[in-house]
């Protein structure tokens, strides 16, 4: 099995830097666009054979070192009792956002095998198909990000509603976050039992928080989930978009890997984080629109900046964009493998 990704998560020596791409299965690939002409996004998420097919397509095409489960972070919110309309153009619309105690109390803490069995079945199918191949990453939204959707009712520019709840009704906020945290802990634990070999927590929107607000309103909940998973020895990756002001708090949460966006250099991030935690990232997704030779130059620069990190997984700083030429994504993966290859004497 190609376990180089897992070794890098654990800060072990590797023959080259492993690479995968956030939003690895998406509209930048013709194969995905073709299958979306036949099925809706939510149908793909809830049909294990289709979700597995979509997960595996970029693995074969790109030559990456890890597969990531095809699903959506709001699948769990729906299982908790939120009505969601998935709209590709305008983003998800949550029809019954949580704005008061009664709506928070109405949410359940779902049994994943009962409420989202299709996720676990997809993982089992993928582990069977990937046997002897590369590892499978499971994932969930982190508590604050999931709460932001559930309170705002969808995506937001200023996150005014959830921030107002944090400041003016902290009791309601903490009640909601407690319930979300318990649900996520069960969800990712079930993914691990089903066969996920690593877990990434996407706290995409936590970067909108001031550091002191992240410390008080997000960190304790993310930390509780990670502490719950730690006993499984499954590597945990924590991602925040806009993480530059939060790195030390991210480390305090206890993940094995901190995934960085493109707004901070890996060398500076490593200086702040220390040499006892692995990092992931962090090419600007828009850099994949550069000419081939400049993509290679960006790859080499990131690899150079990551040289002092005890473990490095190459990735984008956010999800790959739908307009990205697939040949440029392939070029990036090949460049990472080529330019990071170590002499064999360093691998023993």
């Amino acid at each position: 099995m190609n376990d180089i990704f897992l070794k890098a998560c654990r800060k072990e020596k590797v023959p080259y830097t492993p690479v995968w791409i956030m939003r690895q299965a998406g509209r930048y690939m013709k194969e995905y666009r073709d299958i979306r002409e036949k099925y809706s996004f939510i149908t793909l998420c809830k049909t294990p054979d289709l979700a597995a097919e979509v997960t595996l397509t970029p693995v074969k095409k790109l030559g990456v070192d890890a597969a990531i489960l095809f699903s959506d972070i709001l699948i769990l919110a729906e299982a908790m009792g939120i009505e969601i309309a998935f709209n590709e153009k305008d983003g998800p619309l949550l029809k019954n956002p949580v704005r008061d105690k009664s709506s928070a109390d109405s949410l359940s803490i779902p049994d994943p095998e009962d409420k989202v069995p299709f996720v676990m079945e997809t993982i089992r199918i993928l582990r069977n198909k990937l046997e002897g191949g590369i590892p499978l990453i499971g994932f969930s939204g982190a508590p604050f990000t999931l709460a932001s959707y559930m309170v705002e009712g969808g995506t937001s520019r200023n996150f005014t509603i959830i921030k107002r709840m944090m400041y003016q009704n902290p009791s309601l906020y903490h009640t909601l976050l407690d319930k979300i945290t318990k649900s996520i802990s069960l969800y990712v634990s079930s993914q691990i039992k089903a066969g996920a070999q690593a877990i990434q927590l996407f706290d995409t929107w936590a970067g909108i928080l001031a550091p002191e607000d992240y410390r008080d309103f997000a960190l304790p909940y993310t930390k509780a989930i990670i502490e719950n998973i730690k006993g499984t020895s499954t590597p945990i990756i924590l991602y925040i978009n806009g993480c530059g002001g939060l790195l030390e708090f991210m480390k305090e949460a206890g993940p094995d890997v901190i995934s960085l966006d493109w707004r901070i250099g890996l060398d500076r991030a490593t200086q702040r984080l220390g040499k006892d935690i692995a990092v992931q990232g962090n090419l600007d997704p828009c850099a994949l629109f550069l000419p081939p030779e400049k993509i290679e130059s960006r790859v080499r620069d990131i690899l150079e900046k990551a040289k002092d990190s005890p473990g490095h997984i190459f990735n984008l700083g956010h999800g790959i964009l739908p307009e990205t030429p697939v040949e440029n994504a392939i070029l990036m993966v090949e460049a990472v493998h080529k330019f990071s290859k170590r002499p064999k004497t360093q691998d023993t």
Side-chain angles (χ1 to χ4, degrees):
M1 179 179 176
N2 173 1
D3 62 351
I4 292 171
F5 162 77
L6 294 175
K7 286 183 175 180
C9 288
R10 296 174 178 133
K11 305 184 295 295
E12 299 174 12
K13 289 184 178 180
V14 291
Y16 61 82
T17 298
V19 53
W20 66 279
I21 300 173
M22 284 189 273
R23 210 177 291 143
Q24 198 156 263
R27 285 194 172 275
Y28 75 104
M29 300 195 75
K30 181 181 183 301
E31 293 87 345
Y32 180 84
R33 295 194 299 271
D34 288 346
I35 200 167
R36 277 300 312 277
E37 289 182 1
K38 302 176 184 177
Y39 305 101
S40 69
F41 172 74
I42 197 64
T43 297
L44 291 183
C45 289
K46 294 185 177 183
T47 309
D49 286 336
L50 293 175
E53 178 185 344
V54 171
T55 300
L56 293 172
T57 298
V59 168
K60 298 170 185 175
K61 189 148 190 156
L62 302 180
V64 289
D65 298 289
I68 183 164
L69 169 72
F70 180 81
S71 187
D72 189 88
I73 65 170
L74 293 179
I75 291 292
L76 181 59
E78 186 179 57
M80 293 179 69
I82 299 291
E83 291 183 59
I84 304 172
F86 288 91
N87 185 312
E88 186 105 14
K89 182 179 178 181
D90 301 319
L93 175 65
L94 286 72
K95 299 180 180 180
N96 54 332
V98 179
R99 304 282 173 81
D100 53 37
K101 187 176 185 299
S102 63
S103 56
D105 290 343
S106 70
L107 296 175
S108 67
I109 299 173
D111 176 349
E113 287 287 357
D114 178 51
K115 293 296 186 180
V116 287
F118 47 87
V119 173
M120 309 312 149
E121 181 58 21
T122 301
I123 291 172
R124 287 187 278 266
I125 291 172
L126 285 167
R127 279 303 307 275
N128 183 57
K129 289 182 178 292
L130 287 167
E131 192 64 39
I134 59 175
L136 175 65
I137 305 169
F139 73 90
S140 173
F144 175 79
T145 289
L146 205 55
S148 72
Y149 280 106
M150 295 168 73
V151 172
E152 295 283 337
T155 56
S156 175
R157 181 181 293 253
N158 297 313
F159 297 86
T160 307
I161 304 173
I162 191 167
K163 285 190 173 184
R164 186 182 300 159
M165 181 187 290
M166 284 164 39
Y167 298 149
Q168 297 183 354
N169 196 347
S171 176
L172 174 59
Y173 175 87
H174 289 300
T175 296
L176 174 61
L177 268 286
D178 281 336
K179 189 169 280 190
I180 290 173
T181 297
K182 290 173 183 175
S183 298
I184 294 172
S185 292
L186 290 173
Y187 185 49
V188 294
S189 294
S190 291
Q191 289 186 33
I192 292 167
K193 289 176 185 176
Q197 293 154 285
I199 293 291
Q200 177 150 317
L201 293 175
F202 286 89
D203 213 353
T204 307
W205 299 125
I208 60 98
L209 293 171
E212 59 268 30
D213 286 335
Y214 180 82
R215 178 196 63 207
D216 296 340
F217 293 103
L219 173 60
Y221 299 104
T222 299
K223 189 173 184 179
I225 293 167
I226 292 173
E227 287 176 349
N228 183 64
I229 308 171
K230 277 290 188 180
T232 67
S233 75
T234 303
I236 306 152
I237 307 167
L238 177 59
Y239 171 76
I240 294 178
N241 188 20
C243 63
L246 304 174
L247 290 182
E248 290 78 10
F249 289 131
M250 291 175 73
K251 183 177 180 180
E252 186 180 336
D256 300 282
V257 184
I258 289 179
S259 189
L260 304 160
D261 69 7
W262 65 95
R263 300 172 185 89
I264 183 168
L266 283 176
D267 49 354
R268 279 177 286 173
T270 299
Q271 288 171 4
R272 287 172 58 184
L273 291 168
K275 296 187 178 182
D276 57 346
I277 190 166
V279 294
Q280 179 174 274
N282 65 338
L283 183 70
D284 182 346
C286 285
L288 291 179
F289 297 115
L290 286 165
E293 66 277 7
K294 292 193 175 180
I295 294 174
E296 290 190 338
S297 177
R298 293 288 184 100
V299 167
R300 296 184 77 160
D301 180 61
I302 288 171
L303 292 171
E304 174 65 21
K305 287 178 177 175
K307 67 181 181 180
D308 291 329
S309 174
H312 177 219
I313 298 123
F314 198 100
N315 208 317
L316 302 180
H318 195 30
I320 190 167
L321 298 168
E323 304 85 0
T324 304
V326 69
E327 59 270 20
N328 287 6
I330 295 170
L331 172 71
M332 182 199 75
V333 172
E334 291 176 345
V336 172
H337 289 161
K338 178 171 69 172
F339 295 126
S340 66
K341 192 173 182 180
R342 281 79 157 170
K344 288 185 178 180
T345 53
Q346 291 187 20
D347 306 327
T348 57

